[in-house]
Amino acid sequence: METEQLIRTLAADNPHRVRPVGFVLALALLAAAPVSLAMFLITLGVRPDVMTAMHNPFFDLKFLITLALAISAIAVGLHLSRPEASLRDRGWLLLIPIGIVAAGIAGEMMMPQRLPMMTRLIGHNSRVCTLAIPLLSLPLLAGTLIGLRHGAPARPALAGAMAGLISAGFAATLYASHCTDDSPLFVVTWYTIATAIVTAAGALIGAKVLRF
Amino acid sequence: MRESGDEWTGLMRLAISGDSAAYHRLLRAVTPVLRAGARRGLTRAGQPVDQSEDVVQDILLAVHLKRHTWDVNAPFAPWLFAIARNKLIDALRRRGRRVFVNIDDFAETIPDQPAAETASTNEVATLLKTLPPRQREVLQSIAVESASIRETATKFAMSEGAVRVALHRALAGLTAKLREG
């Protein structure tokens, strides 16, 4: 086909409109979230003492951290779905959840503690945590990747890693309501390991499926 | 060459707001620039430049299908050249070449060469044969026979909406096949 003919054809298709990437991503996440939520409620469920736990600022802090991760990763992931974008413009947003964790650790250090540091760090649920967060992320990761496929990322692996951070952030939000380890030291260790696993998976899959 | 960049941005804004003639003008205006960039990139990779038209068509399809990722408040040229670089890298990878794309291959320079003669047996033409028959007929009617959407609808006894859907699916299908290829 001659290029002139192709151009004429593309112009004829101009009225066709595609929804913005953010809209499609939102739909995909809304479709995936109930699946992850159902998986969570069937297998783990919310911890029984949740009503008293809510008065503990370190329990609440976990949600602040995980949601900050998911939301900042959405902002960066959507930015990277534009071909001319780079991590330099928006990458700093990912420092927000890290800053919140750091502030949490510092805050906990300043309070009198019943338990030694290593005991708080190792906690009681490290194995469940590193297993549950990646498994709960799977539906969300699939949804996020489907949403980001509507974009045109110049670096598909990097965009895939953002999909991993988004889904791990939301999965960790669910898991945080089950876990009785509230110390920021536990969060920074085990949540981070779980998130790294999901992020690596996202980058590997993204490198294949997010090419345009 | 700032002026042509601004002109492109203006045309793309019109195109997004539904002006198909502006879109046609824009695609015609960027094509020689894309062609020159594709030639530079292919030459640098030691590939024959007669493949440049395949790369150009690949870029145009990607521009079309991903135009919703362009921010109407941003200049058009950086977005266009990012797509172009990406597609050139893809094309070289598919041909099993070590990929080295210079950031300057695509720039707003007006090429001195005239438009290349397009072989009728190029990549898009080959993939066209693998499309479902109805999509292929619609695409050929509009591309080759220069029929309008309405004329095509009458010819195949389809609604205009159905022609539009078939046309878009054909273009999306071609792009997906190019990516696999």
Side-chain angles (χ1 to χ4, degrees), chain A residues 186-200:
Chain A
F186 181 90
V187 175
V188 79
T189 310
W190 304 106
Y191 282 45
T192 303
I193 291 172
T195 301
I197 294 168
V198 184
T199 307

Side-chain angles (χ1 to χ4, degrees), chain A:
Chain A
M1 192 194 291
E2 288 188 22
T3 303
E4 191 55 44
Q5 295 173 333
L6 179 67
I7 289 173
R8 185 162 58 230
T9 315
L10 298 180
D13 193 44
N14 184 49
H16 187 272
R17 283 283 163 267
V18 178
R19 299 275 190 183
V21 184
F23 180 85
V24 179
L25 177 64
L27 280 188
L29 278 174
L30 282 175
V35 182
S36 287
L37 181 64
M39 281 168 66
F40 170 73
L41 292 176
I42 291 165
T43 55
L44 297 171
V46 175
R47 64 194 255 188
D49 66 338
V50 63
M51 294 317 267
T52 32
M54 279 197 288
H55 299 294
N56 173 4
F58 290 105
F59 176 75
D60 302 334
L61 184 68
K62 295 194 293 184
F63 299 95
L64 192 61
I65 295 166
T66 55
L67 287 173
L69 173 66
I71 292 166
S72 59
I74 287 175
V76 178
L78 284 178
H79 180 67
L80 290 174
S81 70
R82 290 165 44 191
E84 82 279 30
S86 79
L87 202 54
R88 253 176 303 165
D89 317 326
R90 294 270 179 90
W92 61 270
L93 284 171
L94 296 173
L95 297 175
I96 294 173
I98 297 171
I100 299 174
V101 178
I105 292 173
E108 197 195 40
M109 293 283 183
M110 283 187 269
M111 294 169 83
Q113 293 294 332
R114 285 172 290 119
L115 296 167
M117 216 171 102
M118 279 315 280
T119 313
R120 282 178 278 141
L121 187 149
I122 289 167
H124 305 283
N125 300 292
S126 59
R127 202 174 295 169
V128 184
C129 173
T130 46
L131 193 66
I133 292 177
L135 287 177
L136 292 173
S137 336
L138 286 178
L140 290 159
L141 180 60
T144 311
L145 287 168
I146 289 169
L148 289 182
R149 261 178 76 88
H150 282 258
R155 298 173 68 185
L158 192 60
M162 291 307 125
L165 288 178
I166 294 167
S167 53
F170 284 127
T173 306
L174 289 175
Y175 176 75
S177 71
H178 167 81
C179 186
T180 50
D181 292 302
D182 297 332
S183 168
L185 289 170
F186 181 90
V187 175
V188 79
T189 310
W190 304 106
Y191 282 45
T192 303
I193 291 172
T195 301
I197 294 168
V198 184
T199 307
L204 282 173
I205 304 169
K208 298 238 184 307
V209 304
L210 295 182
R211 287 176 52 223
F212 68 92

Side-chain angles (χ1 to χ4, degrees), chain B residues 19-133:
Chain B
D19 184 342
S20 297
Y23 190 47
H24 195 173
R25 279 223 313 281
L26 172 70
L27 294 178
R28 290 190 64 168
V30 300
T31 295
V33 179
L34 296 177
R35 186 177 288 129
R39 282 184 186 169
R40 272 196 292 273
L42 288 166
T43 308
R44 199 187 303 280
Q47 291 283 300
V49 289
D50 60 7
Q51 294 172 355
S52 64
E53 217 53 29
D54 283 340
V55 177
V56 169
Q57 296 193 0
D58 205 359
I59 297 169
L60 289 171
L61 276 166
V63 163
H64 181 67
L65 294 172
K66 295 296 180 183
R67 65 200 191 286
H68 60 279
T69 67
W70 177 62
D71 174 358
V72 291
N73 297 312
F76 180 68
W79 179 89
L80 172 72
F81 295 142
I83 297 252
R85 272 193 291 279
N86 195 290
K87 287 288 134 187
L88 177 60
I89 291 169
D90 259 15
L92 294 173
R93 231 174 239 161
R94 278 209 302 276
R95 290 166 179 85
R97 292 289 146 165
R98 275 194 58 224
V99 175
F100 176 72
V101 173
N102 193 302
I103 196 114
D104 297 326
D105 281 343
F106 292 99
E108 283 173 66
T109 48
I110 301 299
D112 46 10
Q113 297 128 313
E117 285 301 312
T118 313
S120 55
T121 54
N122 64 1
E123 228 172 2
V124 169
T126 312
L127 289 172
L128 205 58
K129 299 190 183 98
T130 63
L131 287 176

